Amino acid sequence: MMEFLKKFQFVGGRIAKTGIAVFLTAIVCELLNWPATFAVITAIVTIEPTAANSIKKAFIRFPASAIGALFAVIIASTFGDHPITYALVALLTIITCHKLHLGAGILVATLTGIAMIPTIHDHYVATFFIRLGTTTIGLIVSTLVNLWILPPKYSNTITNKIHNLYFKTGNLLEKRGSEVLQNHSLHRDTKLIFNDILREIESTETLCEYQKEEWKLHRSSRQELRYFHYEYKKLNLLRQILFHIGNLIYLPVQYTFSEEEKDRILHATQSLKGIMHHPSFHIPEQHFTLMKDLLEEFWEDQEELHTKPFQSMKHHFSCETVMLYELLSIHDLIEELSEIHVLEAQHQTVLEKTLHS
C-alpha cells in the first residue's frame, strides 16, 4: 500500500495521510453508529507536518472542541436553528479559546460548534457527548495515522533546497557585483531575488525544525543524524553568506575602481559563483590567487585611509574597502563550506568501507 502511494508523485505524503485518516475515522464512526461528519472534520484539520505537532495540538484541540460543542448545545437549545445562533456560537467559541490560549484549536472548535447546530433537536446532553466522542475519534485516528503511516522525511528535500539556494545565491552575487562595478543602482529584480532567497532559507529552516521534531518519535541512524548535521551547517553558512551579500545590496554605489580592479573583482565574483554552483563546492587553485590579490588590495586601501587626517574623513571605510571586505568574508565562508563537504565525504567513505567489511 505504501509503495503504491509513493509511486504517485502528485499525491504528497500529507495528502495521502489525510485521505487515510478520513477513511479510517469514517469506518470507526460507522461501527459505533455515530455520525462521521464531526470526526472527519477534526481528522482533516488535525494532520500536521509532523507527528509531534499532531500530538501536541491534539491536547489543545480536544478541550477547544468541547467548548465549541458546549456553546452549540446551550445556544441552539435556547434560540434554535437561527442566524443569531450561528453568530453567537462562532463568536463565543473564538473568544473563549483565545482567552484560554487554545489558539491551535479555534478552527476545529468553531467548525464543530457551527456544524452541530442543525442537528440539535433534543437529548442535549447525549448530543454533546456523542459530538465530543466523534471529535475524539478524529483526533486519535489522525494522530495515529500521522505517527505510523508515511512518517515524513525531510532530509532529501532539505538537501535539494540548500543546493538550489547556493546556486541562486551564486547568481545573485554575480548580478549585484556587475551592478556595482558598472555604477548601476540596485535593480528591482536583484532585490526581489535577494528577498526570495531569504524566504526560502526561512522555509528550509522550518523543515529542519520539523525533522528534529520527527526524530523525537522515530528512531534514526547515526548516519542520518550526521548527514543532517552537515546539511544544517551548510544552511547556517548560507545565511551568513547572504548577510554579506545583503551588505552589498544596500551599499550606495560610489565606487572609483580602476579598470584593472574592476576586472579582478569581476573574476572574483564569478569564481565564488562557480564554487557555489559546484556539487561538492570544490575550490580551484586559481581562486586562491584571486582572493590573495583582493586581500592585498584591501590592505592597500586601508593604508591609504590611515594616511588621511581622521577628522577629515566623512566615512572611515570607503565603498571600495567595504566591497573587498564582503567578498573576502564570503570567501572565508566558502572555504568552511568546502571543508564541511570534504568531512561529509570522508565519513561516507568510512561508512561504506565498514558496511562492506
Side-chain angles (χ1 to χ4, degrees):
M1 177 65 172
M2 296 304 103
E3 294 301 320
F4 174 77
L5 289 172
K6 289 178 180 179
K7 288 180 182 179
F8 292 90
Q9 296 300 317
F10 58 86
V11 180
R14 193 172 176 183
I15 296 173
K17 287 191 290 186
T18 301
I20 294 169
V22 167
F23 176 70
L24 295 176
T25 300
I27 287 178
V28 173
C29 290
E30 185 177 348
L31 293 173
L32 295 174
N33 199 26
W34 284 356
T37 305
F38 308 99
V40 166
I41 290 173
T42 305
I44 291 172
V45 300
T46 302
I47 294 291
E48 293 289 332
T50 66
N53 280 346
S54 288
I55 294 171
K56 288 178 183 177
K57 292 184 179 181
F59 288 102
I60 297 174
R61 285 169 176 150
F62 178 77
S65 298
I67 290 169
L70 182 62
F71 280 130
V73 169
I74 294 172
I75 298 172
S77 64
T78 304
F79 297 101
D81 190 349
H82 192 276
I84 191 63
T85 305
Y86 292 92
L88 287 174
V89 169
L91 187 63
L92 292 174
T93 300
I94 293 170
I95 292 173
T96 306
C97 289
H98 179 72
K99 291 293 184 182
L100 296 176
H101 305 290
L102 301 173
I106 287 177
L107 177 60
V108 67
T110 307
L111 289 175
T112 298
I114 293 297
M116 279 182 64
I117 294 171
T119 66
I120 299 173
H121 303 292
D122 50 15
H123 305 294
Y124 302 118
V125 175
T127 300
F128 170 75
F129 283 107
I130 289 174
R131 298 299 178 261
L132 201 57
T134 55
T135 299
T136 304
I137 290 170
L139 285 170
I140 293 173
V141 171
S142 61
T143 301
L144 292 176
V145 166
N146 217 13
L147 183 61
W148 298 114
I149 297 178
L150 295 174
K153 292 184 178 180
Y154 298 103
S155 295
N156 289 337
T157 304
I158 290 168
T159 299
N160 292 334
K161 276 181 167 288
I162 289 173
H163 277 274
N164 288 336
L165 283 169
Y166 270 106
F167 194 91
K168 291 180 180 179
T169 303
N171 290 339
L172 174 64
L173 176 60
E174 183 187 40
K175 184 176 177 64
R176 182 53 182 159
S178 297
E179 289 176 353
V180 168
L181 294 175
Q182 295 172 24
N183 279 318
H184 291 169
S185 58
L186 176 64
H187 197 277
R188 182 172 176 271
D189 288 345
T190 307
K191 188 173 182 180
L192 287 174
I193 293 169
F194 175 74
N195 290 331
D196 181 61
I197 293 173
L198 272 178
R199 282 192 295 270
E200 287 195 49
I201 287 176
E202 293 299 329
S203 70
T204 308
E205 179 77 34
T206 301
L207 290 181
C208 290
E209 294 303 319
Y210 286 164
Q211 187 61 74
K212 290 177 184 177
E213 289 292 321
E214 277 301 305
W215 281 334
K216 293 178 182 178
L217 299 173
H218 298 101
R219 288 185 178 182
S220 58
S221 64
R222 292 183 64 184
Q223 179 188 2
E224 288 177 319
L225 291 173
R226 186 182 289 116
Y227 179 79
F228 176 82
H229 173 71
Y230 286 130
E231 293 303 311
Y232 195 67
K233 275 190 170 184
K234 292 175 188 176
L235 182 62
N236 285 331
L237 286 173
L238 177 62
R239 189 185 289 277
Q240 293 177 64
I241 289 171
L242 201 66
F243 169 80
H244 289 290
I245 295 177
N247 291 338
L248 296 178
I249 289 286
Y250 297 104
L251 192 66
V253 180
Q254 301 171 355
Y255 294 92
T256 57
F257 287 119
S258 66
E259 290 302 317
E260 183 183 351
E261 290 170 333
K262 285 182 180 180
D263 187 63
R264 192 180 299 135
I265 290 174
L266 182 61
H267 279 86
T269 56
Q270 290 173 342
S271 181
L272 288 167
K273 169 192 169 183
I275 295 166
M276 284 189 266
H277 282 194
H278 197 280
S280 59
F281 307 110
H282 173 69
I283 303 178
E285 285 299 322
Q286 59 265 31
H287 175 79
F288 290 104
T289 304
L290 288 170
M291 290 300 111
K292 183 180 178 183
D293 292 340
L294 288 190
L295 184 61
E296 290 174 357
E297 190 174 332
F298 173 79
W299 288 119
E300 286 174 7
D301 286 352
Q302 287 296 92
E303 288 176 5
E304 288 180 12
L305 282 173
H306 289 162
T307 61
K308 297 179 181 179
F310 188 81
Q311 295 85 349
S312 66
M313 289 188 289
K314 185 177 179 181
H315 298 290
H316 302 296
F317 294 96
S318 67
C319 292
E320 294 90 339
T321 303
V322 171
M323 183 169 189
L324 292 171
Y325 170 78
E326 300 301 345
L327 291 176
L328 289 166
S329 298
I330 292 171
H331 163 73
D332 286 347
L333 295 168
I334 290 292
E335 275 196 288
E336 191 173 343
L337 176 67
S338 182
E339 290 171 4
I340 288 172
H341 190 85
V342 169
L343 286 172
E344 186 179 11
Q346 288 174 349
H347 279 125
Q348 184 65 29
T349 303
V350 171
L351 179 65
E352 288 175 359
K353 288 181 178 178
T354 304
L355 292 174
H356 288 93
S357 61

